[in-house]
Amino acid sequence: MEQMQTVRESVKRTETAALEISGLRARVEGKEILKGIDLVVRQGEVHALMGPNGSGKSTLANVLMGRPGYELTAGQVLFRGQDITGLSADRRAQLGLFLAFQYPTEIPGVSVVNFLRSAYNAVKSEQISALAFRKRLKEKMNMLGVEDAMVNRYVNQGFSGGEKKKNEVLQLAVLEPEIAILDETDSGLDIDSLKAVATGIQQLIGPNLGVLLITHYQRMLNYITPDHIHVMMDGRIVSSGGPELAHELEKKGYEGLRKELGEG
Amino acid sequence: MAAVTTSTGFDEATLRRLLERGGAPDGVRERAFEQFQAMPMPSPETEEWRYTDLRDFDLSSFLPSAEEPFAENLDGVAPELLEAAGEIGERSGLSIQHNSTLVTAHLDPEARARGVTFTSLDDAVTTHPDLLEERLHHAVPTVRTRFTAMHGAFRTGGTFVHVPAGVDVRFPLQALTYVDADALAVFPHTLVVLEEGSSLTFIDRYVSPDLERVFSNAVVELFAGPGSRLRYVALQEWGSGVTHLSVQRAHVERDAEVRSLAVAFGASLARSEAETILLGDGGSSEMLGVYFGRSDQHFDHRSIQDHVGSRTSSDLLYKGALRGQARAIYSGNVIIRQGAHQCDAYQTNRNILLSERAKADSIPNLEILSNDPVRCGHAASVGPVDEDTLFYIRSRGIPEAEAQRLVVTGFFQEVLDRVTLQEVRGSLEATIATELEREASERLSGRGAEAHAV
Ligand SMILES: Nc1ncnc2c1ncn2[C@@H]1O[C@H](COP(=O)(O)OP(=O)(O)OP(=O)(O)O)[C@@H](O)[C@H]1O
Ligand SMILES: [Mg+2]
């Protein structure tokens, strides 16, 4: 753990910022949900984003990934210095952005392995053979403890909550993005699955990956120590700090923090 | 090419000429001709014909027949016909109808030695007179509509299969109907009789180049004797310009199993009725359907799952995709008769619309007259590709056109997974992939044109 931290620290200084969000405001169905977000996530960093239900965390994740139906009213999102707000989701993914969904979607009739191979080819601009891809996939599966049967099933169809989240992490591992947004990848998991998923993510974290980890739970942060913690309330980041902020929150709750901020 | 035909239409002179040639048990053609003359064109005011209006369909504009030379065996068949028959892997027999003539019917000698008959209907009238008397037009009576009456009176060609009790026909039998004579009316007829405990796979394939105007008036009669197993596949791959009306009806006796697959890719207008009547106790039926419409194609699918016997089961799954201005109607009926106990029936129809101008309707209907069905239900849907699914796929770097292709391929996979014939499945996959490629390239060029206009 200690060692990994130092590696990341050293990289931070040499790498340029990867994802820069400034003054971001967005509306959904005419209602303003994001009310001015400023956040920078660099390759090699882990940022945790916490906040009460409905505060806008998933909205931010979706806006960053370019989901249709979200209206940007102000601000910008730079990725490697380029404004990506006008780009389609597939272009963003090709540039190196990834979103692990809070509620992954089913793709009936399309197997995980075929889906992932298409995605791999699109993101890497390759035409990898089915055999070569199987081999690559197998390595990642072994690392994450994913069963063979899962990748032959249709994407998320009939998957348990835990299997869906594992599948998101498998995709993350195969596609090797530079910045990944993980939206509650730890929710809906039993203790063993949480451990498997968290250690999987932990292994992927390194100098080439920046993570925005959306979570409600300290238990995830026991496995993955974030460099920064941000608290979102009502569409704004109201507080940022180091790992200690999570413990503070655990004690006070969001109500406590809200009061403190209100007073301060 | 077609020999010169002297016929002028669907009249008494043509009837007389056909009567001289035979091809039907005594009195059948005459009775059907009377019905044909007496019956009006089906009216769109009836529920059955509400979605396909043929009142202006001019029967007199079609030639009643175009005869082709017979072939001694497959070596004597024109290569383009054999190519159209397609690769279906190993088969126990192949019959080819070219325009109005069944030019050849080849049956594997091993199957013949075991008593299997695979021949033209014309020949069967002399070789199996009693069977034809009993079966021909008994599943689909000529009096059903003006079109079936016309079929009964003017049919030429047609295929007959008889499998004796206890015989398993190892590989599929295939019947190709190939038309390349414009303005022709053809009357494909398939009559399959399985005796007790026998089994067979039969594939009908309808193929033509794009034509000005052709009328295909088809009838398929399937008789599955007690404990028999029949797999029946209809691949409708007509070229454009063809109007295809077909009625398929299966009689399923005690403990028999009939699994059918109806594929519709071709024709300008295709109205296909597929019906299964589960007569004996313990019979079962599976009905699968796949259709993919483009430009201004019109598909009208109608189905009936009729449970007469107890402990009978039926499951229907029809799935279709539509692009361009294609139009599809699915209308299905499940009937559980009084006295049919502990039946299990399900019906599913799903449509995916790939363009805003494509349109589909799905009309399911249940008629339950028994009070103890195990299960009886239906599901239907019509809609565009799901936005959330598209976004999920695109968020993995896959561009829109390919994402769409994945979704639609996956949509059909549920049916394809149930198609056990490897070659049929492969051919379906290939056709679906081709349609989707065309869709993608048309989209691109359409978009290009729009961009240009701006
Ligand atoms: N498509 C939508 N249509 C209407 N309202 C929406 C839509 N998406 C989000 N919202 C609203 O935006 C607000 C923020 O939702 P969001 O899902 O971003 O919250 P969250 O912080 O991720 O919550 P949770 O912790 O429960 O996942 C909520 O009030 C939600 O109802
Ligand atoms: Mg959320």
Side-chain angles (χ1 to χ4, degrees):
Chain A
M1 215 49 188
E2 279 300 307
Q3 221 174 352
M4 219 153 67
Q5 208 84 30
T6 22
V7 172
R8 260 192 269 140
E9 289 295 327
S10 69
V11 168
K12 227 188 286 180
R13 269 173 255 121
T14 54
E15 287 282 323
T16 50
L19 185 67
E20 301 170 75
I21 306 156
S22 53
L24 189 67
R25 289 172 171 267
R27 277 193 226 169
V28 187
E29 292 181 357
K31 187 179 158 208
E32 183 161 67
I33 307 291
L34 300 183
K35 300 172 181 172
I37 304 283
D38 296 286
L39 184 65
V40 179
V41 181
R42 294 180 179 86
Q43 256 184 312
E45 293 178 350
V46 177
H47 293 248
L49 180 63
M50 306 182 82
N53 294 131
S55 55
K57 303 181 297 296
S58 293
T59 302
L60 175 64
N62 281 312
V63 165
L64 293 177
M65 203 64 224
R67 185 175 205 124
Y70 290 78
E71 189 196 343
L72 258 70
T73 49
Q76 60 175 7
V77 181
L78 302 183
F79 188 61
R80 288 195 198 137
Q82 179 191 350
D83 187 352
I84 59 166
T85 48
L87 300 183
S88 64
D90 42 295
R91 285 295 301 139
R92 296 182 198 209
Q94 288 161 18
L95 287 174
L97 199 59
F98 181 91
L99 169 62
F101 286 61
Q102 182 173 4
Y103 305 109
T105 312
E106 288 181 9
I107 318 176
V110 178
S111 70
V112 171
V113 56
N114 281 346
F115 174 53
L116 262 179
R117 183 154 77 98
S118 297
Y120 183 89
N121 283 336
V123 163
K124 305 266 179 186
S125 304
E126 274 181 37
Q127 283 302 318
I128 194 170
S129 74
L131 200 71
F133 181 71
R134 274 264 176 197
K135 202 167 154 258
R136 258 198 101 85
L137 182 61
K138 188 74 198 163
E139 286 167 20
K140 307 293 182 184
M141 286 162 63
N142 289 342
M143 185 182 98
L144 299 170
V146 172
E147 311 265 322
D148 278 348
M150 195 179 98
V151 300
N152 293 319
R153 287 167 66 188
Y154 297 143
V155 179
N156 294 323
Q157 214 175 14
F159 281 26
S160 71
E163 285 168 334
K164 284 184 183 170
K165 297 298 169 88
K166 252 189 197 173
N167 188 28
E168 294 294 289
V169 179
L170 179 64
Q171 295 179 50
L172 168 65
V174 169
L175 299 179
E176 300 174 324
E178 290 169 2
I179 301 288
I181 305 152
L182 308 182
D183 193 356
E184 296 198 24
T185 305
D186 57 344
S187 69
L189 298 178
D190 63 39
I191 299 160
D192 292 349
S193 299
L194 175 72
K195 191 170 174 192
V197 164
T199 45
I201 295 170
Q202 200 179 30
Q203 288 177 79
L204 297 172
I205 289 172
N208 294 322
L209 179 64
V211 173
L212 180 61
L213 188 77
I214 299 172
T215 184
H216 285 296
Y217 305 110
Q218 174 60 41
R219 60 179 195 187
M220 182 68 156
L221 306 180
N222 292 341
Y223 292 99
I224 299 161
T225 312
D227 306 296
H228 305 277
I229 291 186
H230 310 276
V231 179
M232 190 159 173
M233 282 188 191
D234 193 24
R236 288 187 187 86
I237 291 178
V238 294
S239 177
S240 294
E244 71 289 345
L245 184 55
H247 295 287
E248 220 177 293
L249 270 177
E250 196 92 320
K251 271 185 241 130
K252 289 186 213 149
Y254 292 120
E255 253 334 289
L257 185 71
R258 204 192 297 272
K259 276 201 198 100
E260 225 168 75
L261 288 169
E263 283 158 17
Chain B
M1 268 277 81
V4 180
T5 169
T6 50
S7 319
T8 50
F10 300 95
D11 53 16
E12 204 138 359
T14 305
L15 179 75
R16 228 169 284 131
R17 193 173 54 81
L18 287 172
L19 283 170
E20 274 161 36
R21 280 200 20 197
D26 286 347
V28 166
R29 287 194 193 276
E30 294 91 323
R31 264 198 311 279
F33 183 65
E34 274 172 30
Q35 292 159 357
F36 171 63
Q37 284 191 308
M39 293 175 91
M41 281 297 243
S43 161
E45 269 149 41
T46 63
E47 181 55 36
E48 286 87 351
W49 292 86
R50 213 178 119 195
Y51 298 95
T52 302
D53 185 355
L54 292 173
R55 278 173 308 179
D56 295 334
F57 189 58
D58 184 8
L59 295 177
S60 70
S61 69
F62 295 100
L63 298 171
S65 76
E67 302 294 342
E68 302 293 336
F70 292 105
E72 274 301 310
N73 50 41
L74 289 182
D75 296 336
V77 173
E80 69 264 29
L81 292 192
L82 287 177
E83 195 184 311
E87 275 306 316
I88 64 144
E90 295 207 78
R91 58 188 159 210
S92 288
L94 171 66
S95 75
I96 296 177
Q97 174 160 343
H98 184 191
N99 296 329
S100 306
T101 313
L102 195 97
V103 297
T104 191
H106 166 79
L107 178 66
D108 182 61
E110 188 221 310
R112 190 178 316 133
R114 296 168 73 200
V116 177
T117 307
F118 181 45
T119 178
S120 71
L121 266 181
D122 288 6
D123 286 349
V125 171
T126 31
T127 59
H128 294 73
D130 296 346
L131 257 175
L132 258 70
E133 194 75 54
E134 257 174 60
R135 308 289 193 177
L136 184 67
H137 301 308
H138 281 253
V140 182
T142 55
V143 74
R144 183 180 164 115
T145 65
R146 181 166 159 83
F147 295 115
T148 52
M150 180 188 192
H151 178 106
F154 297 104
R155 177 189 50 76
T156 55
T159 312
F160 170 72
V161 184
H162 178 254
V163 184
V167 172
D168 287 322
V169 181
R170 224 169 126 204
F171 301 117
L173 294 183
Q174 189 189 355
L176 168 72
T177 306
Y178 185 82
V179 172
D180 58 3
D182 229 320
L184 180 66
V186 284
F187 302 92
H189 195 117
T190 301
L191 174 60
V192 177
V193 180
L194 296 198
E195 300 294 351
E196 182 156 5
S198 64
S199 75
L200 173 74
T201 296
F202 191 95
I203 303 169
D204 257 321
R205 192 165 203 149
Y206 306 99
V207 181
S208 80
D210 291 342
L211 296 160
E212 268 304 306
R213 171 168 63 87
V214 154
F215 177 31
S216 155
N217 179 341
V219 171
V220 176
E221 301 184 280
L222 308 171
F223 294 92
S228 66
R229 276 172 299 128
L230 172 64
R231 261 191 273 172
Y232 176 78
V233 179
L235 302 171
Q236 190 273 93
E237 296 166 10
W238 290 127
S240 66
V242 178
T243 297
H244 179 68
L245 304 182
S246 78
V247 182
Q248 169 194 320
R249 190 166 166 89
H251 282 198
V252 185
E253 295 192 38
R254 175 181 46 80
D255 296 328
E257 176 193 273
V258 175
R259 294 164 65 187
S260 67
L261 167 66
V263 176
F265 289 130
S268 288
L269 182 154
R271 183 178 187 279
S272 303
E273 301 174 71
E275 306 180 351
T276 304
I277 178 158
L278 295 147
L279 292 162
D281 293 350
S284 72
S285 154
E286 175 188 62
M287 297 162 90
L288 301 177
V290 169
Y291 47 97
F292 203 136
R294 63 175 127 58
S295 56
D296 54 359
Q297 274 181 312
H298 174 104
F299 292 144
D300 184 348
H301 284 109
R302 304 183 61 80
S303 72
I304 293 179
Q305 296 151 262
D306 190 351
H307 295 248
V308 178
S310 291
R311 296 182 312 284
T312 47
S313 66
S314 70
D315 189 19
L316 177 145
L317 175 64
Y318 270 50
K319 283 193 144 184
L322 303 170
R323 59 194 193 89
Q325 306 159 56
R327 172 89 174 89
I329 301 100
Y330 168 81
S331 170
N333 202 7
V334 174
I335 308 162
I336 299 186
R337 305 263 170 193
Q338 214 168 354
H341 297 290
Q342 290 164 355
C343 295
D344 181 330
Y346 210 84
Q347 181 194 80
T348 308
N349 171 236
R350 301 204 182 279
N351 298 277
I352 199 162
L353 304 177
L354 301 178
S355 101
E356 276 168 24
R357 291 169 305 160
K359 187 170 186 290
D361 285 294
S362 192
I363 307 137
N365 189 34
L366 305 178
E367 249 175 80
I368 307 170
L369 307 168
S370 159
N371 57 7
D372 61 352
V374 175
R375 178 180 74 143
C376 187
H378 59 79
S381 62
V382 175
V385 173
D386 180 59
E387 281 299 324
D388 290 345
T389 312
L390 267 187
F391 174 64
Y392 184 69
I393 298 173
R394 295 184 71 183
S395 79
R396 299 308 184 232
I398 298 170
E400 185 180 14
E402 202 192 331
Q404 176 122 331
R405 202 149 56 205
L406 271 179
V407 173
V408 180
T409 309
F411 168 79
F412 282 115
Q413 197 60 46
E414 184 188 3
V415 186
L416 295 180
D417 281 347
R418 288 166 69 174
V419 176
T420 42
L421 287 166
Q422 185 67 49
E423 293 80 8
V424 170
R425 195 172 58 220
S427 144
L428 291 185
E429 278 166 356
T431 310
I432 290 166
T434 308
E435 282 303 319
L436 286 168
E437 248 156 61
R438 285 196 198 134
E439 163 71 13
S441 67
E442 275 167 31
R443 251 169 205 255
L444 275 180
S445 63
R447 208 167 271 176
E450 273 164 36
H452 209 78
V454 170

